Amino acid sequence: MTDTAKAVAEAFVTARREKRALNSYPGQAPTDLGGGYAIQDIALAFDGREVAGWKVGKINPPLDGQLGANRLAGPIFTDSVVTVAEGESPEMPVFADGFAAGEAEFLLHVAAGWDGVVPQDDAGTRAILDAVHIGIEVASSPYPGINADGPPVTVSDYGNNYGMIIGPVLEGWDTIDFNAVTVRLDIDGETAGEATTATMLDGPLGAVRFLLGNLSARGIDCSSGTWVSTGAVTGVHPVRPGQQVLATFEGHGTVACGIVAAIPA
């Protein structure tokens, strides 16, 4: 598996560097999450860029039972993170001939100094945070079938992440009931989805616990702090270059972006 995983990892990283699509999966596709994370870990070492945080995505039934997990994770690189004030709308690149989507997400930041012990409840999870913001995850991969081929494949290419927009702080985050905030995502002025975190397993705080357990099991240190993009509240909504995305967190502000095609340097 090592040589196979190395070939796949290097193919994905190279395609991302060259900002070009892959018409087919570049090698033997993993069939379980362990295989997907093996490719991801090799890709991280080959890539060499700084990781600012991690995205968490949901694995739906019946695959969650078959794969032994109901979430997955992938890295978010520092050079793909944009911090905005309300009203700003940065242009975010995607692979025009690959897969691209926009997702409204709560962004939770684990404070520096985390001792490696995964919290067991929401109170313990809030205690290790130092910020919560509203935001958008830009999901994109050179490979068009990144999600359709199943979670192990999604994991193998950075969990399908290609960027994160950090919007305004979520006021009162240390006590807020995330389920009480209605979230809507619009594309070109049309509502693509609306929901609350009640649809997201054990919510954003549970996503943090999952991620910390996942990273610990993989030997990845995040004691210096890390962002967690905790999952698509309203769903995974396909986008294409030229479209405008607006995420509204009722009572807490908005985050927006334009979608553009990634252009080779």
Side-chain angles (χ1 to χ4, degrees):
M1 177 64 185
T2 302
D3 288 343
T4 301
K6 184 173 183 289
V8 172
E10 292 184 359
F12 270 123
V13 173
T14 300
R16 283 174 172 259
R17 285 175 178 169
E18 297 176 355
K19 298 179 172 58
R20 60 177 172 81
L22 294 167
N23 293 327
S24 59
Y25 193 83
Q28 182 179 338
T31 58
D32 57 29
L33 292 174
Y37 286 118
I39 295 169
Q40 187 184 117
D41 289 343
I42 293 170
L44 279 164
F46 180 66
D47 193 311
R49 286 180 293 161
E50 179 183 24
V51 174
W54 299 81
K55 63 82 56 77
V56 174
K58 182 179 179 182
I59 299 177
N60 293 313
L63 290 176
D64 56 348
Q66 296 169 15
L67 294 170
N70 56 19
R71 285 184 168 105
L72 58 80
I76 302 172
F77 294 97
T78 300
D79 62 7
S80 71
V81 177
V82 179
T83 300
V84 300
E86 187 159 358
E88 295 180 335
S89 183
E91 292 187 335
M92 300 297 289
V94 299
F95 294 96
D97 295 322
F99 177 92
E103 305 173 9
E105 309 211 2
F106 288 100
L107 312 178
L108 280 57
H109 191 264
V110 177
W114 177 58
D115 63 5
V117 177
V118 179
Q120 297 301 303
D121 56 26
D122 286 354
T125 306
R126 289 183 198 266
I128 64 170
L129 304 178
D130 60 3
V132 175
H133 288 243
I134 59 176
I136 292 174
E137 182 200 351
V138 177
S140 191
S141 168
Y143 175 50
I146 189 70
N147 279 358
D149 286 0
V153 166
T154 306
V155 165
S156 71
D157 184 33
Y158 293 155
N160 194 18
N161 178 265
Y162 201 52
M164 179 175 72
I165 306 167
I166 303 173
V169 66
L170 182 70
E171 298 294 344
W173 63 264
D174 51 338
T175 58
I176 199 167
D177 175 7
F178 287 99
N179 289 349
V181 181
T182 299
V183 181
R184 186 178 74 253
L185 189 123
D186 296 334
I187 300 174
D188 286 345
E190 298 289 331
T191 298
E194 182 173 297
T196 72
T197 59
T199 65
M200 296 171 54
L201 303 171
D202 49 2
L205 296 167
V208 171
R209 292 191 290 274
F210 160 79
L211 179 70
L212 295 178
N214 176 276
L215 297 182
S216 293
R218 294 162 63 191
I220 296 174
D221 176 28
C222 63
S223 60
S224 60
T226 192
W227 283 101
V228 186
S229 192
T230 57
V233 181
T234 68
V236 178
H237 307 292
V239 294
R240 61 181 184 274
Q243 291 188 313
Q244 298 293 315
V245 178
L246 176 67
T248 301
F249 296 75
E250 190 174 283
H252 295 275
T254 62
V255 186
C257 70
I259 302 298
V260 298
I263 300 173

